[in-house]
Amino acid sequence: MKIKPRLSRGLRDLLPQTMLARQRVIDTVRRVYETYGFAPLETPAIEYLDVLSGSAGEEAQHSIFRVTNPEDEDLGLRFDLTVPLARVVSQHRQIPFPFKRYQVSQVWRADKPDPGRFRQFTQFDIDTVGAPCGTADTEILAAICDCLEAIGAGPYSVRFSSREILNLLLQHAGIPADLGKDVFRVLDKLEKVGWKRVRSELTTGYVDPSGDPIRGLGLQDAQVGAIEEFLEISNPDRRAVVGRLRDLFSDVDGSGARLDTVESISEDLETLGYGSDRVVLDVSIARGLAYYTGPVFEAVLEDAPQFGSVFGGGRYDGLVARFGGQRIPATGASLGVDRLLAAMEHLGRCGSEQTPAQVLVTVMDKNLRGECLELAFELRRAGVRTEIHSGSGRLGKQLKRADRLKIPYAILIGEDELARGVVTLKQMSVASSAGTHLTDHRAWKAARFGQIEIPRSETVTRLRELLQAGG
Amino acid sequence: MKIKPRLSRGLRDLLPQTMLARQRVIDTVRRVYETYGFAPLETPAIEYLDVLSGSAGEEAQHSIFRVTNPEDEDLGLRFDLTVPLARVVSQHRQIPFPFKRYQVSQVWRADKPDPGRFRQFTQFDIDTVGAPCGTADTEILAAICDCLEAIGAGPYSVRFSSREILNLLLQHAGIPADLGKDVFRVLDKLEKVGWKRVRSELTTGYVDPSGDPIRGLGLQDAQVGAIEEFLEISNPDRRAVVGRLRDLFSDVDGSGARLDTVESISEDLETLGYGSDRVVLDVSIARGLAYYTGPVFEAVLEDAPQFGSVFGGGRYDGLVARFGGQRIPATGASLGVDRLLAAMEHLGRCGSEQTPAQVLVTVMDKNLRGECLELAFELRRAGVRTEIHSGSGRLGKQLKRADRLKIPYAILIGEDELARGVVTLKQMSVASSAGTHLTDHRAWKAARFGQIEIPRSETVTRLRELLQAGG
């Protein structure tokens, strides 16, 4: 019986070209996070359902993939990496605080799949658990900047604010604290749906384009007016924003001290060279999740804002306590690896290689397979990523493969080459007609064919030189 | 409501110390596989149940974790990486053959958990799809050797044989071909249970220690005698083994040609420097899986044979055809990452670091936090993996943390150091109980306290030198 090869909706394979770009990003981010002293953690994909639910947003709970084990327990696939981290620090009491960990793993959400929205995706999280607000949060913001620089994703903007600022806003506008969670959730949509709809949702509600009624929060005009005035605090200079916040909230008892932490993070960033040109204090940042308690972070690529924020995070001092025991401060950020790569792909900032191989050793003559094999292994031992022809097919077909996989070089050995102690090296990626800058007696003689002869004994050295020169 | 932090049976967290050792192995294996030109692939954890079952062994099928999606489809978590690969090459017809891919991913099996046996574990597979028996198989064997050398797991033995040899045995012993699958499955247990039990299972069956009756295959004495004679072909020299096989099977029509492939692989390995000292032609290797059709491979660590084979694999020319279309030749091997690491851990060949950090910048004096932060970021930008104290706690507690996490160096900056333009560098791995004794001069004068003073302006350079010198 034949089985149809297929995947369930919202799931996809990542083929080599996609994976090579992805690995480059992941390796880079990992290197950056390790320079900050974050250590790797891995947790199982499967968690108890009561561990997963109860925390985080309701949306996430509804989209948990259920899993069945032989013991018929209530299990699910994790939908983020923060809940498992909170479980880990509660369960493994021997872990010394502060616990600075990174985790790059798959997460699953059984949402309605859209183009570009998948049911399995990769998050790359850093968190510091057990450190109070301050240095740890500054580090998260700086690490986000360092990652985006190192990845080479182009110009970006890191934005931060704080739930403290939003709490001051509630007091200033006379909005009851228990409405806060809902107000923040609505404000989080500001960039996506605009002020008009946010205003409607804060007051009387509205009917959305698909005909569904969206309930309003019932705020008064004066309250919404205060929010609007607050949202107009926008200034590329962080110090100016802090100053305006101090003015605006001067009517709230103790607001000065509560703004000190945000100011201190901003000043630390300044000292360390993370200026207002790339880290903005943007008071419109709310972040949707209910569990944030302090600073909140996000980052967008300026050339691809339509992809939304590629980083998101914040401080969540209450989450760990869900598992019993005391309140443990924690802060962190999550990189949406798939979203970042989709944006970079859109911007043409991912490579197009389909294999790590740098050279293909062809087999023109079956009798010389041994010689070809020996050369391939010599190259590999010298660190040159080498493929040797292992199928059937003539030389033309072999070279077509090198072309298609974008392998930069091919090596040809025939009876003639063998007799003269040389190999033919063919440059595959010269899409142009030339390579003529490489002329002169020694090399690239037949440059119009993109090929030269080099002594067999010098093949490894010469090829390494060419590859190091970025050829 | 408090939720108990816990994991379902057979699942575990991988804490930083474990993960750092694991990443070192995975990075090394990846580097080796890339020098062979294998390219990365990732497939979703969730597959259709009919894709997963029907292939591979019955055991694996029974242990599939079922998954539920909103569409109520029959889904499960993958139990290996070979079946998803077969699906991928059937589904994505544009993939050029030979397709040389690696995949390092989690797999799940709902088996009865034992100590050291988990329900989620990591496999690192390489496969070449679309290449006939020969070079591709030689490469798999060579790559296994290169991985084990590069990992530094100690002495190892790679063993190979071929289903062709076992098929010749069936003919030679007069055993019907349709019994082959069962005979191979029983022979695969040889190393684990010994010849006496294998013999019983091949003939009349027996009652196992737990009282369960094990059905016998009903072979005749002469047939079992022929198998026993065959299994006695054991020689450290591959050429001698090939010679004895040619003699033994001289009664089987065409046996000579059918042994040529094995001999050719053996000769290629010889040419490339993979001698009989590390790659053995061991005719007792059967490998349990039903789908193997040609060469089969495995590898054991000689210092930890009780952990079983850390690599396993073989050629499976029929598997891809399950998804329709033509027969596509394929060969590959799987590294059991968890098993290898358990063996290395047992042998004391894993590191004991608990963080990537190489230096902890302490904060002795809150007023100097800015100076400490600046130094930490200078170090990071120079590639030194640096942690800065971000919690509360006095110097003694901070140093204890560095000790506990095995961070090799700590840096101390007090008012005194600041005034004199120096920092105190403390070597932590020198297990010294001494406190904050400040020495007066350049070198490791007070080496018994493991600390020296260095000019603030030279801190980055000096520390990099020390770290590069392996300090």
Side-chain angles (χ1 to χ4, degrees):
Chain A
M1 201 194 86
K2 302 292 183 194
I3 293 149
K4 196 178 170 218
R6 69 211 191 283
L7 283 173
S8 177
R9 58 193 304 207
L11 300 175
R12 61 169 170 168
D13 297 313
L14 301 174
L15 299 184
Q17 185 177 342
T18 311
M19 277 301 287
L20 287 165
R22 171 173 295 244
Q23 284 190 340
R24 206 172 299 125
V25 164
I26 288 175
D27 288 347
T28 303
V29 173
R30 195 175 117 194
R31 186 176 48 70
V32 170
Y33 288 167
E34 291 194 344
T35 66
Y36 278 77
F38 289 94
L41 174 76
E42 178 66 62
T43 62
I46 302 169
E47 296 269 359
Y48 277 113
L49 219 46
D50 66 345
V51 165
L52 291 177
S53 50
S55 57
E58 275 179 50
E59 262 180 73
Q61 286 180 49
H62 287 135
S63 60
I64 295 172
F65 274 103
R66 304 298 178 92
V67 173
T68 317
N69 71 354
E71 294 81 13
D72 265 328
E73 295 179 303
D74 289 327
L75 303 168
L77 296 178
R78 65 175 167 233
F79 57 83
D80 77 357
L81 304 177
T82 312
V83 171
L85 172 64
R87 178 191 53 72
V88 164
V89 297
S90 307
Q91 187 175 338
H92 304 270
R93 299 282 169 147
Q94 80 280 15
I95 293 175
F97 285 161
F99 182 43
K100 296 181 70 172
R101 85 89 180 78
Y102 68 85
Q103 181 169 359
V104 49
S105 291
Q106 312 291 338
V107 300
W108 294 265
R109 292 186 196 170
D111 294 326
K112 190 164 156 259
D114 277 329
R117 189 175 178 177
F118 296 95
R119 287 182 167 182
Q120 171 175 325
F121 50 99
T122 303
Q123 291 193 333
F124 200 149
D125 282 25
I126 38 169
D127 292 85
T128 300
V129 179
C133 193
T135 303
D137 306 82
T138 303
E139 282 195 313
I140 303 283
L141 284 162
I144 292 174
C145 292
D146 288 1
C147 281
L148 288 167
E149 300 278 343
I151 289 165
Y156 60 86
S157 167
V158 174
R159 304 162 181 172
F160 80 108
S161 180
S162 173
R163 282 288 162 93
E164 277 291 358
I165 293 175
L166 291 172
N167 288 329
L168 286 170
L169 169 65
L170 294 182
Q171 284 184 263
H172 167 70
I175 299 169
D178 58 8
L179 261 184
K181 203 178 62 167
D182 291 317
V183 172
F184 303 158
R185 182 179 46 76
V186 174
L187 287 182
D188 186 50
K189 302 183 195 170
L190 184 63
E191 191 161 20
K192 208 167 153 191
V193 304
W195 171 246
K196 214 181 128 198
R197 280 217 201 144
V198 164
R199 195 199 157 86
S200 302
E201 196 168 346
L202 289 172
T203 52
T204 56
Y206 65 101
V207 177
D208 83 356
S210 65
D212 292 335
I214 304 291
R215 197 178 60 84
L217 297 180
L219 296 193
Q220 304 302 309
D221 277 355
Q223 293 173 324
V224 176
I227 292 177
E228 193 167 11
E229 189 192 8
F230 165 79
L231 290 175
E232 276 159 9
I233 298 179
S234 165
N235 196 302
D237 179 53
R238 294 195 302 249
R239 279 184 189 142
V241 175
V242 173
R244 290 199 55 189
L245 288 171
R246 289 197 188 279
D247 288 347
L248 186 68
F249 296 145
S250 59
D251 59 338
V252 182
D253 254 11
S255 66
R258 285 162 71 188
L259 288 169
D260 285 352
T261 322
V262 168
E263 184 168 32
S264 154
I265 290 172
S266 176
E267 290 303 313
D268 281 347
L269 288 170
E270 204 66 42
T271 309
L272 298 169
Y274 301 91
S276 295
D277 54 324
R278 48 181 175 152
V279 184
V280 183
L281 179 48
D282 180 342
V283 299
S284 75
I285 302 302
R287 302 304 301 165
L289 289 178
Y291 57 55
Y292 289 131
T293 57
V296 286
F297 327 114
E298 62 180 49
V300 292
L301 300 188
E302 287 183 357
D303 294 342
Q306 70 274 28
F307 285 84
S309 38
V310 292
F311 277 91
R315 175 163 283 276
Y316 50 98
D317 289 350
L319 183 60
V320 178
R322 276 190 55 242
F323 295 103
Q326 77 276 42
R327 197 173 157 88
I328 293 169
T331 187
S334 179
L335 164 63
V337 174
D338 301 72
R339 195 182 281 194
L340 173 68
L341 280 161
M344 286 176 68
E345 171 76 35
H346 172 78
L347 296 170
R349 289 181 189 140
C350 293
S352 61
E353 300 90 349
Q354 294 190 33
T355 166
Q358 298 166 305
V359 58
L360 169 70
V361 178
T362 61
V363 181
M364 293 165 69
D365 181 338
K366 275 187 186 166
N367 298 324
L368 302 181
R369 203 181 59 92
E371 279 74 13
C372 297
L373 212 48
E374 279 185 76
L375 177 57
F377 275 76
E378 250 182 66
L379 287 163
R380 286 168 181 169
R381 278 172 199 146
V384 177
R385 298 191 299 272
T386 305
E387 181 172 319
I388 178 164
H389 174 67
S390 61
S392 51
R394 295 186 186 191
L395 183 63
K397 211 176 140 192
Q398 296 178 37
L399 293 176
K400 202 174 265 178
R401 174 178 169 83
D403 244 349
R404 186 160 171 193
L405 294 183
K406 306 217 158 88
I407 302 175
Y409 292 98
I411 286 175
L412 287 64
I413 307 177
E415 286 290 358
D416 175 58
E417 277 95 345
L418 189 70
R420 290 187 294 119
V422 298
V423 308
T424 295
L425 180 66
K426 192 170 164 64
Q427 195 172 27
M428 300 303 300
S429 58
V430 182
S432 78
S433 52
T436 37
H437 56 291
L438 292 169
T439 51
D440 92 12
H441 62 293
R442 302 190 62 183
W444 306 109
K445 241 204 253 172
R448 69 184 187 284
F449 300 118
Q451 62 186 47
I452 54 170
E453 278 186 9
I454 47 180
R456 169 65 180 82
S457 58
E458 292 174 22
T459 310
V460 173
T461 322
R462 293 284 296 280
L463 195 54
R464 283 184 69 177
E465 281 167 13
L466 282 168
L467 288 165
Q468 270 156 22
Chain B
M1 201 194 86
K2 301 295 184 193
I3 293 150
K4 196 178 169 215
R6 70 209 189 284
L7 281 173
S8 177
R9 59 192 304 206
L11 300 175
R12 60 171 170 167
D13 296 314
L14 301 173
L15 299 184
Q17 185 179 338
T18 311
M19 276 301 287
L20 286 165
R22 173 174 293 245
Q23 284 190 341
R24 206 172 300 124
V25 164
I26 288 174
D27 289 348
T28 303
V29 173
R30 195 175 116 194
R31 186 177 46 69
V32 170
Y33 288 167
E34 291 194 345
T35 66
Y36 279 77
F38 289 95
L41 174 76
E42 178 68 61
T43 61
I46 302 168
E47 295 270 1
Y48 277 113
L49 219 47
D50 67 344
V51 166
L52 291 178
S53 51
S55 56
E58 274 180 49
E59 263 181 71
Q61 285 181 49
H62 287 136
S63 60
I64 295 172
F65 274 102
R66 304 298 177 93
V67 173
T68 316
N69 71 353
E71 294 81 14
D72 265 328
E73 295 178 304
D74 289 328
L75 304 169
L77 296 179
R78 64 174 167 233
F79 57 83
D80 78 357
L81 305 177
T82 312
V83 171
L85 171 65
R87 178 190 53 70
V88 163
V89 296
S90 307
Q91 187 175 338
H92 304 269
R93 300 280 169 149
Q94 80 280 16
I95 293 176
F97 285 161
F99 182 43
K100 296 181 69 171
R101 84 89 179 79
Y102 68 84
Q103 179 167 1
V104 48
S105 291
Q106 313 292 337
V107 301
W108 294 265
R109 292 186 197 171
D111 294 327
K112 189 163 159 262
D114 278 329
R117 188 175 180 179
F118 297 95
R119 287 182 168 181
Q120 172 176 323
F121 50 99
T122 303
Q123 291 192 334
F124 201 148
D125 283 24
I126 38 169
D127 292 85
T128 301
V129 180
C133 193
T135 304
D137 306 81
T138 303
E139 281 195 314
I140 302 284
L141 283 162
I144 292 174
C145 292
D146 288 2
C147 282
L148 287 167
E149 300 279 343
I151 289 165
Y156 61 86
S157 167
V158 174
R159 305 163 181 171
F160 79 109
S161 181
S162 173
R163 283 288 163 94
E164 277 290 359
I165 293 176
L166 291 172
N167 288 331
L168 286 171
L169 170 65
L170 294 182
Q171 285 184 261
H172 167 70
I175 299 169
D178 59 7
L179 261 185
K181 203 177 62 164
D182 291 317
V183 171
F184 303 158
R185 182 179 48 75
V186 174
L187 288 182
D188 185 50
K189 301 183 194 171
L190 185 63
E191 190 161 21
K192 209 165 150 191
V193 305
W195 171 247
K196 214 181 127 197
R197 281 219 200 142
V198 164
R199 194 197 158 85
S200 301
E201 196 168 345
L202 290 173
T203 52
T204 55
Y206 66 102
V207 177
D208 83 357
S210 65
D212 292 334
I214 304 291
R215 197 177 59 84
L217 297 181
L219 296 193
Q220 304 302 309
D221 277 354
Q223 294 172 323
V224 175
I227 293 177
E228 193 167 11
E229 189 192 7
F230 165 77
L231 290 174
E232 275 159 11
I233 298 179
S234 167
N235 196 303
D237 180 52
R238 294 195 302 249
R239 279 185 189 142
V241 175
V242 173
R244 290 200 54 190
L245 288 172
R246 288 199 188 278
D247 288 347
L248 186 68
F249 296 146
S250 58
D251 60 337
V252 182
D253 254 9
S255 67
R258 284 161 74 187
L259 288 169
D260 285 351
T261 322
V262 168
E263 183 167 34
S264 153
I265 291 172
S266 176
E267 290 304 313
D268 281 347
L269 288 169
E270 204 67 42
T271 309
L272 298 169
Y274 303 91
S276 294
D277 55 324
R278 49 182 173 152
V279 184
V280 183
L281 179 49
D282 180 342
V283 298
S284 75
I285 301 303
R287 302 303 302 164
L289 290 178
Y291 57 56
Y292 289 131
T293 56
V296 287
F297 327 114
E298 65 180 48
V300 292
L301 300 188
E302 287 183 357
D303 294 343
Q306 70 273 30
F307 286 84
S309 39
V310 293
F311 276 92
R315 174 163 285 275
Y316 50 99
D317 289 350
L319 184 60
V320 177
R322 276 190 55 242
F323 295 104
Q326 78 275 43
R327 196 173 158 89
I328 295 170
T331 186
S334 179
L335 164 64
V337 174
D338 301 72
R339 194 181 281 194
L340 173 68
L341 280 161
M344 287 175 68
E345 172 76 36
H346 173 78
L347 296 170
R349 288 181 189 140
C350 293
S352 62
E353 300 90 349
Q354 295 189 33
T355 165
Q358 299 166 305
V359 57
L360 170 70
V361 177
T362 62
V363 180
M364 294 165 70
D365 182 338
K366 275 189 185 162
N367 298 322
L368 302 182
R369 202 181 59 91
E371 279 73 14
C372 297
L373 212 48
E374 279 183 76
L375 178 56
F377 275 77
E378 252 181 65
L379 287 163
R380 287 168 180 169
R381 277 171 201 149
V384 177
R385 299 191 298 272
T386 305
E387 180 171 321
I388 178 165
H389 173 67
S390 62
S392 52
R394 296 189 186 187
L395 182 62
K397 211 176 138 191
Q398 295 177 38
L399 292 176
K400 202 174 267 177
R401 173 179 170 82
D403 245 350
R404 187 162 170 190
L405 294 184
K406 307 219 158 90
I407 302 175
Y409 293 98
I411 286 176
L412 288 64
I413 306 178
E415 286 290 358
D416 176 58
E417 278 95 344
L418 190 68
R420 291 187 294 118
V422 298
V423 308
T424 295
L425 180 67
K426 192 171 164 63
Q427 195 172 27
M428 297 306 300
S429 44
V430 179
S432 153
S433 57
T436 55
H437 189 273
L438 297 179
T439 53
D440 53 356
H441 224 71
R442 297 181 68 98
W444 295 97
K445 234 188 190 178
R448 71 183 186 284
F449 298 116
Q451 63 186 45
I452 54 169
E453 280 188 7
I454 46 180
R456 169 64 179 82
S457 58
E458 293 173 21
T459 310
V460 173
T461 323
R462 293 284 296 279
L463 195 53
R464 283 184 68 177
E465 282 167 12
L466 282 167
L467 288 166
Q468 272 156 20

